[in-house]
Amino acid sequence: MCLGVPGKVVAIDGNRATVDFWGVRRQVLLDVVDEPVAVGDYVLNHVGYAIRRIPESEIGETLALFEELLAQDDAADLMAGDVRAEIAGTGAAPDGES
Amino acid sequence: MASPDPRAGFAELKFRDPVRARAMVEAMGRATAGIGRSRVSLMHVCGSHEQAIAKYGLRSAFPSALSVIMGPGCPVCVTDAREVDEGVALARQGVHIATYGDMLRVPGTVMSLADAQADGASIHVIYSAGQAVELAARLKEPVVFFATGFETTAVATAAIVLEGLPDNLSILSAHKYIPPAMDIVAATPGLAVEGFLAAGHAATITGWGVFEPFVSRHHLPVVVAGFEPLDILAGLVKLLELVRDGAPAVVNMYPRCVTRAGNLRAQEALWKVFQPSCGRWRGIADVPDGNLALRDRFAGLDARTRFAIDVASLPKSAVSVTAGACICGSIMAGIKSPTDCALFGSACTPEHPVGACMVSSEGTCRIWHQYGGHPDLGGIA
Ligand code: SF4
């Protein structure tokens, strides 16, 4: 899915970042991200690669959105399941190719 | 061409606040009425847009004159049967195939990769291009990465190529590039689409500027939108307004991820590794520049150069009557809907897909099947 779950960078080793997606930590590659990424930044990911460093000014509303999503029941919010699935796959779900 | 601050007025936007959604739907109604025709068709080019539209039943809230159709926005669905055949032939020749999970059940001319796997071929599902590299390093035998997906996904393939592949790994590229396919669809006879909603993630890479030549060629507006229900509704409102005002322009409604220039570093990697080439999009057409082929300097990594891919060795079987009745192509070209297909939900289901549109979770038939067959309550209400 192209939901674009933002993850927070917690460590960087060369071109590999460890990114926290709501408690699930995944390796994400930094080869093609648009700007230099530092620990503490948020990044948007696609099939295991960071494709955008999300500007600080934009992150608040996006985080609030996902917080809201994850707080809700899957039954009440149909997209919560997707967000969880995407987090589990590091935004790398096999059907997330567009 | 784009308004300087397209989100002015949306600063407080919460992506699914019902009050905002209702206001947005009212704005859609006003803009549609302003156009003043009994039918207005808009096309989106993204499986994720269709999923959100179907999931939230957004169509039931659309003005009755508005029809929003899904174009060729599912990368798995537009992978041509002949490209699947190449993967199947390689697998049957004893090469390990690594590919994204959605590809397994996509029908080739004769069989799918899942069928080949059932016959003993070695097929590995990966979630990231990097896993193809890890797999090859582990297996030490020839591995081919059957690389599918649009430009966003091709960037990941480009990244592993530039990093340097293990000697036993090669690439079978079936990557597709969306902008040329939009040209083909916009020129389809019988199609009355008046504007396009472009997918936010592809545009994160390419930038929204990539749509400007399209707009000048076809005089049709393009709005780049994200994937939340309000992202989509706001995108449609903007698109309807542009249609109403006769203003063919590109407007970016997803500025939290998309800029005009896009991700230059990713584009550099993409075009260093790939060049546009003419490619067949399943059921649609041969699209000039619609495929991404490895550049000559990477020919040594190209599975098509490295292996004699013996597609002719695949067992012959007559194309089944059911497969011949699949109208996926017309659906992706925006001319027909899944419910126009006689096989939809009967002979063709997600468990037993006949066409590619029923295989992928981004395929129109699969999405409509999942959300009750005809998620367009506007026609009923
Ligand atoms: S329902 Fe099945 S057979 Fe009919 S168009 Fe869709 S994928 Fe093809």
Side-chain angles (χ1 to χ4, degrees), chain A:
Chain A
M1 273 281 295
C2 301
L3 275 173
V5 175
K8 185 172 190 169
V9 176
V10 293
I12 294 180
D13 177 13
N15 71 339
R16 238 166 235 274
T18 305
V19 178
D20 184 292
F21 298 90
W22 304 90
V24 182
R25 290 192 173 189
R26 300 277 164 179
Q27 297 287 311
V28 170
L29 295 168
L30 300 174
D31 302 48
V32 295
V33 72
D34 55 342
E35 286 172 14
V37 169
V39 170
D41 285 346
Y42 284 87
V43 287
L44 177 66
N45 305 284
H46 183 78
V47 293
Y49 284 79
I51 58 169
R52 177 162 165 89
R53 174 179 169 272
I54 303 175
E56 194 67 40
S57 54
E58 302 279 4
I59 198 71
E61 69 179 343
T62 310
L63 287 184
L65 161 71
F66 286 103
E67 202 141 60
E68 193 179 292
L69 265 180
L70 293 169
Q72 289 178 25
D73 244 349
D74 285 20
D77 191 314
L78 293 162
M79 279 176 93
D82 287 343
V83 174
R84 289 204 179 87
E86 183 158 4
I87 289 168
T90 326
D95 51 345
E97 297 180 33
S98 67

Side-chain angles (χ1 to χ4, degrees), chain B residues 98-150:
Chain B
T99 194
Y100 296 111
D102 264 21
M103 290 309 300
L104 258 60
R105 291 207 291 166
V106 176
T109 313
V110 181
M111 63 172 77
S112 65
L113 287 168
D115 296 333
Q117 190 175 35
D119 285 351
S122 172
I123 316 283
H124 307 258
V125 170
I126 55 168
Y127 297 95
S128 153
Q131 288 177 332
V133 176
E134 288 161 18
L135 181 74
R138 197 170 67 238
L139 291 177
K140 310 227 167 20
E141 292 173 4
V143 176
V144 168
F145 175 26
F146 183 27
T148 59
F150 294 133

Side-chain angles (χ1 to χ4, degrees), chain B residues 87-260:
Chain B
V88 167
L90 276 171
R92 290 167 58 93
Q93 285 167 237
V95 176
H96 296 276
I97 298 287
T99 194
Y100 296 111
D102 264 21
M103 290 309 300
L104 258 60
R105 291 207 291 166
V106 176
T109 313
V110 181
M111 63 172 77
S112 65
L113 287 168
D115 296 333
Q117 190 175 35
D119 285 351
S122 172
I123 316 283
H124 307 258
V125 170
I126 55 168
Y127 297 95
S128 153
Q131 288 177 332
V133 176
E134 288 161 18
L135 181 74
R138 197 170 67 238
L139 291 177
K140 310 227 167 20
E141 292 173 4
V143 176
V144 168
F145 175 26
F146 183 27
T148 59
F150 294 133
E151 46 269 36
T152 330
T153 313
V155 164
T157 308
I160 60 165
V161 167
L162 293 174
E163 185 93 333
L165 300 185
D167 289 342
N168 58 331
L169 178 61
S170 43
I171 309 278
L172 179 65
S173 172
H175 284 303
K176 310 274 179 199
Y177 186 51
I178 295 173
M182 284 174 63
D183 275 312
I184 296 283
V185 171
T188 303
L191 183 78
V193 168
E194 297 187 63
F196 283 81
L197 201 66
H201 272 205
T204 301
I205 302 294
T206 57
W208 58 258
V210 80
F211 299 112
E212 288 182 325
F214 172 89
V215 167
S216 14
R217 270 196 297 276
H218 300 282
H219 306 287
L220 292 169
V222 173
V223 170
V224 177
F227 306 101
E228 279 297 317
L230 286 195
D231 280 332
I232 292 170
L233 289 175
L236 289 171
V237 169
K238 191 75 210 169
L239 198 49
L240 286 165
E241 287 174 0
L242 294 170
V243 171
R244 180 197 63 200
D245 299 342
V250 187
V251 174
N252 177 21
M253 297 291 278
Y254 194 38
R256 65 185 186 274
C257 290
V258 178
T259 60
R260 178 179 188 158

Side-chain angles (χ1 to χ4, degrees), chain B residues 107 322-331 337-349 352-359 364-366 369:
Chain B
T322 44
C326 174
I327 57 164
C328 259
S330 303
I331 292 171
S337 294
T339 42
D340 295 327
C341 176
L343 309 181
F344 179 70
S346 51
C348 181
T349 60
H352 300 284
V354 173
C357 300
M358 190 60 93
V359 174
T364 317
C365 294
R366 172 78 175 268
H369 191 269

Side-chain angles (χ1 to χ4, degrees), chain B residues 291-334:
Chain B
N291 267 33
L292 295 169
L294 286 171
R295 287 191 182 273
D296 292 343
R297 58 181 275 228
F298 297 109
L301 309 175
D302 193 334
R304 293 186 178 100
T305 324
R306 216 187 257 189
F307 298 95
I309 305 179
D310 194 3
V311 174
S313 73
L314 296 180
K316 301 280 170 290
S317 73
V319 174
S320 68
V321 181
T322 44
C326 174
I327 57 164
C328 259
S330 303
I331 292 171
M332 287 187 283

